[in-house]
């Protein structure tokens, strides 16, 4: 896994690197700084736990800055009808990690299943392993951003296209992160409003 950019357009600083995760701080000239995590989750659940631990350990570094994570998380969040190989324990651990770090899937267009064994016919297996995750700050700063999962081409994974569309005014969907309910003052604020 590698990350490339044009230094004439962006200042990018490496924050963290491991075999499963590269995190960079991006300082564009015209916007607030943000963090990007590139993920390649291992097939082994024990190794993926290190990925979840690393994501949690990074939270104090990132703080309330906009944060986007994208790539192959190699775990499925919830069961779907056509899905094969669902691991409920892995999904629970992944969802617990996302609750802890306050991230959820970015709304997307394109393909639902982002990985296929490409066997076709009765032996075809499909799954949603690739995702784009964002925190609430990302939505605040980049409400016009969107994700598209494109056709995979020769790869067994879909290509991920994240676009930040400047100047387009549109209604943004209401986004509720379940971790908000765990905040000590949540019930009080809810009653006030």
């Amino acid at each position: 896994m590698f990350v490339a950019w044009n230094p004439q357009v962006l200042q990018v600083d490496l924050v963290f690197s491991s075999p499963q995760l590269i995190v960079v701080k991006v300082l564009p000239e015209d916007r607030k700084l943000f963090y990007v995590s590139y993920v390649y989750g291992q097939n082994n659940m024990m190794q993926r736990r290190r990925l979840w631990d690393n994501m949690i350990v990074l939270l104090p570094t990132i703080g309330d800055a906009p944060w986007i994570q994208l790539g192959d998380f190699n775990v499925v969040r919830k069961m779907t009808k056509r899905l094969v190989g669902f691991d409920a324990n892995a999904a629970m651990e992944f969802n617990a990690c996302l609750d802890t770090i306050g991230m959820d899937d970015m709304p997307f267009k394109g393909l639902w299943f982002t990985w296929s064994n490409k066997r076709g016919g009765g032996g075809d297996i499909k799954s949603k392993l690739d995702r784009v995750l964002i925190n609430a700050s990302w939505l605040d700063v980049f409400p016009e951003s969107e994700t598209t999962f494109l056709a995979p081409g020769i790869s067994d994974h879909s290509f991920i296209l994240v676009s930040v569309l400047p100047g387009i005014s549109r209604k943004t969907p209401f986004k509720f992160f379940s971790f908000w309910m765990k905040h000590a003052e949540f019930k009080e604020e809810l009653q006030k409003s």
Side-chain angles (χ1 to χ4, degrees):
M1 181 168 47
F2 67 92
V3 177
W5 65 92
N6 181 344
Q8 295 177 337
V9 177
L10 296 173
Q11 178 185 338
V12 177
D13 298 325
L14 179 65
V15 174
F16 179 84
S17 178
S18 77
Q20 299 183 89
L21 184 65
I22 296 174
V23 181
V24 295
K25 178 169 61 172
V26 181
L27 300 147
E29 289 182 14
D30 61 338
R31 299 251 187 171
K32 181 179 178 182
L33 78 88
F34 60 91
Y35 290 85
V36 181
S37 297
Y38 301 93
V39 178
Y40 183 74
Q42 297 290 327
N43 290 325
N44 179 288
M45 188 168 154
M46 297 301 286
Q47 292 173 332
R48 270 197 318 272
R49 283 183 180 142
R50 283 190 224 127
L51 173 59
W52 311 153
D53 291 343
N54 287 333
M55 288 163 61
I56 292 168
V57 166
L58 284 163
L59 187 57
T61 301
I62 292 167
D64 64 352
W67 187 14
I68 185 169
Q69 298 196 68
L70 58 136
D72 176 8
F73 289 83
N74 215 340
V75 67
V76 177
R77 287 190 72 184
K78 51 188 147 190
M79 182 64 170
T80 59
K81 287 182 182 178
R82 294 177 46 208
L83 193 62
V84 177
F86 178 71
D87 182 339
N89 289 331
M92 282 185 356
E93 289 181 12
F94 182 49
N95 288 330
C97 172
L98 297 185
D99 283 345
T100 301
I101 63 175
M103 298 193 90
D104 203 355
D105 287 297
M106 177 187 264
F108 66 90
K109 301 186 300 188
L111 302 174
W112 171 262
F113 294 109
T114 62
W115 174 86
S116 169
N117 66 357
K118 295 192 149 214
R119 292 197 183 136
D124 192 35
I125 299 172
K126 295 181 184 215
S127 195
K128 179 155 183 62
L129 301 178
D130 304 278
R131 342 188 67 80
V132 177
L133 304 171
I134 54 173
N135 64 3
S137 294
W138 180 273
L139 272 180
D140 290 341
V141 176
F142 304 108
E144 67 281 1
S145 60
E146 65 183 26
T147 296
T148 307
F149 289 101
L150 303 168
I154 61 170
S155 174
D156 56 352
H157 289 269
S158 296
F159 292 103
I160 301 172
L161 175 64
V162 176
S163 303
V164 178
L165 308 169
I168 294 177
S169 66
R170 63 176 186 217
K171 292 182 182 177
T172 55
F174 175 75
K175 194 75 167 176
F176 182 81
F177 293 100
S178 60
F179 70 91
W180 287 338
M181 294 181 357
K182 295 177 184 175
H183 193 277
E185 299 171 7
F186 175 78
K187 289 181 183 176
E188 181 183 318
E189 289 298 318
L190 182 63
Q191 288 175 343
K192 285 182 192 175
S193 64

